[in-house]
Amino acid sequence: MAAEDRFLRPEDLYYADGSVVLLAAHAGKTHAFRVHKSVLGSHSSVFADMFVLPSAAERDTYDGVDSVQMPDDAKDLEDLLRALYYPRTILSMLENRNPLAAMKYKGILLLSQKYFVRVLQKLLRARFRADWPSTLPEWDRLMEHYAGLSASVVPQHDAASQFIDNRMLEPASAIRLAREANIPEILPAAFYMLSTISPFMDFDALRSSHPPALTNSQGNVLTWQPGERSARWGLLTPDDWLCLARGRHSMMDFARVFEQQEAQCICDTQICVQLNNKKKLLKGHPQDLLRVLKEIGFQQAPPQYPCYNALQVLASRCMETRSVLWDNLCYYFGLPEVADDQNDGDSDDIALVESEFMDG
């Protein structure tokens, strides 16, 4: 059997009338895609130039037509080609806030940028940016949605079904995507979400057939509880870990300052409700400061309660402080300030971008 006969040919991407065969490797096997120069060239000036050079005498051939050995992973290239030939397939897979999207579609996004497939690039970037909140109200709506998911968790015989974050955005993979594809807009929310997850709870390790035993720094055994979040910690680079450490340290300093600020209360006791509410910010680690501040801010007390006036003041301060905290996430985590992206040529209107993509 000739070596070329062992090439894998996806039936839906191997056209009998194709004018070029793209060859790419994945897991030690070569994949062959027989496609049309005209189709690829119409979507990408890079592809168009590729098919012009080199001269005809220098071109390799396969199955009677020109062939090009591609340096890209075959699976990523297959996803790119399938998106160009069958655009509805990628639209159906890019559902809103797919927790696997950052992992699954990072390759195709990077290829769309490399080969300047502009319409596909715009679609993927718009989808990823829409998934991650850029404002505090958007964050609150996402957390309310997740709270509803957590409340609906019912233990099943299959342990994997208990992982609530199978239906939630995964922050470490989003950070990796944002770094490599230059989508800084999603970094503040992704780093903040990651800061609220225990580093002992690893997404992949917990889902393995034999999860490793976990112990904290004191040697205490840690057990995962249904509804608890996990993350793909292994995807972080040293720079990412440094940003995360800085952010956690800065926010704990932020909480200490808030807790120490004076607030008059006529009860003046160590069991003062408003005093204890402030101390909630310093309990446990990692801590979700935005959630705790919101809980304190929404706490109700009858007017005759001794701490009523102090609680009212504290509630107002909590809501103001949440906005300050959100607006300074880039500073706390040491991230580049996110500039206004309205002039980058990319629309954030998903429906508009999808329509443009379908129209080619």
Side-chain angles (χ1 to χ4, degrees):
M1 178 182 293
E4 66 180 29
D5 292 335
R6 295 196 295 270
F7 290 175
L8 302 178
R9 304 177 178 182
E11 290 186 4
D12 59 341
L13 289 172
Y14 202 88
Y15 293 91
D17 62 347
S19 54
V20 65
V21 173
L22 304 183
L23 302 173
H26 176 80
K29 296 183 178 180
T30 299
H31 297 239
F33 308 97
R34 185 166 180 168
V35 289
H36 307 86
K37 294 178 180 180
S38 58
V39 173
L40 271 58
S42 68
H43 288 285
S44 161
S45 59
V46 177
F47 278 129
D49 292 341
M50 180 190 303
F51 299 141
V52 171
L53 300 172
S55 65
E58 299 173 321
R59 289 175 186 161
D60 294 326
T61 61
Y62 174 85
D63 200 12
V65 296
D66 292 342
S67 68
V68 179
Q69 184 67 51
M70 305 293 287
D72 314 297
D73 181 86
K75 288 300 183 183
D76 293 337
L77 182 60
E78 181 176 347
D79 287 341
L80 176 66
L81 296 174
R82 186 161 281 116
L84 299 181
Y85 275 90
Y86 309 102
R88 292 192 182 278
T89 59
I90 193 168
L91 293 182
S92 64
M93 291 186 288
L94 282 176
E95 73 255 30
N96 187 34
R97 291 182 172 144
N98 180 345
L100 300 178
M103 291 280 288
K104 186 173 179 59
Y105 300 111
K106 183 180 77 171
I108 185 175
L109 174 56
L110 294 177
L111 283 191
S112 71
Q113 294 182 170
K114 175 181 178 179
Y115 294 112
F116 206 68
V117 185
R118 183 60 176 153
V119 177
L120 179 58
Q121 179 185 344
K122 288 172 63 177
L123 171 66
L124 291 166
R125 291 177 65 88
R127 179 71 274 166
F128 291 132
R129 289 196 293 193
D131 280 350
W132 285 90
S134 59
T135 66
L136 185 55
E138 289 175 356
W139 174 267
D140 286 340
R141 286 193 292 272
L142 180 62
M143 292 302 104
E144 288 169 6
H145 173 63
Y146 284 174
L149 293 179
S150 299
S152 67
V153 170
V154 178
Q156 306 286 334
H157 295 297
D158 177 10
S161 65
Q162 300 182 43
F163 290 109
I164 189 63
D165 44 15
N166 285 347
R167 293 176 282 169
M168 297 178 173
L169 294 171
E170 197 289 304
S173 58
I175 289 169
R176 211 49 289 110
L177 173 74
R179 298 287 204 192
E180 295 184 31
N182 190 28
I183 314 178
E185 300 92 337
I186 70 180
L187 284 173
F191 266 104
Y192 179 80
M193 182 181 289
L194 188 62
S195 75
T196 69
I197 300 173
S198 168
F200 295 100
M201 298 298 151
D202 184 80
F203 188 99
D204 297 305
L206 289 171
R207 288 159 176 77
S208 66
S209 56
H210 300 287
L214 302 174
T215 57
N216 60 17
S217 57
Q218 286 77 43
N220 299 320
V221 176
L222 301 174
T223 57
W224 173 85
Q225 301 296 325
E228 189 172 2
R229 292 297 309 271
S230 60
R232 288 188 162 99
W233 294 101
L235 295 178
L236 299 185
T237 66
D239 284 344
D240 295 332
W241 279 106
L242 181 58
C243 288
L244 183 64
R246 285 173 172 168
R248 282 178 166 168
H249 180 81
S250 297
M251 288 191 294
M252 289 309 295
D253 282 348
F254 183 93
R256 290 189 188 95
V257 170
F258 184 87
E259 191 270 335
Q260 292 167 2
Q261 288 177 338
E262 295 184 5
Q264 302 250 338
C265 182
I266 61 173
C267 75
D268 195 26
T269 69
Q270 289 302 307
I271 60 171
C272 171
V273 175
Q274 68 96 17
L275 178 62
N276 289 334
N277 271 343
K278 288 197 295 181
K279 290 182 177 179
K280 288 180 181 178
L281 291 169
L282 300 175
K283 291 181 179 178
H285 187 75
Q287 181 66 286
D288 185 349
L289 298 186
L290 290 174
R291 177 184 58 78
V292 176
L293 286 167
K294 186 176 181 180
E295 289 176 355
I296 298 173
F298 283 2
Q299 191 172 53
Q300 299 292 324
Q304 65 271 21
Y305 203 78
C307 295
Y308 176 78
N309 289 333
L311 282 173
Q312 293 295 99
V313 173
L314 179 62
S316 177
R317 283 184 51 223
C318 281
M319 303 312 286
E320 293 173 0
T321 301
R322 293 182 80 239
S323 296
V324 173
L325 178 60
W326 179 268
D327 290 341
N328 285 279
L329 287 179
C330 285
Y331 173 75
Y332 296 143
F333 288 101
L335 304 172
E337 288 294 332
V338 178
D340 182 4
D341 61 357
Q342 297 306 307
N343 296 317
D344 64 357
D346 287 353
S347 172
D348 289 323
D349 186 329
I350 296 296
L352 180 63
V353 178
E354 288 184 353
S355 176
E356 183 181 354
F357 176 67
M358 290 299 298
D359 291 341

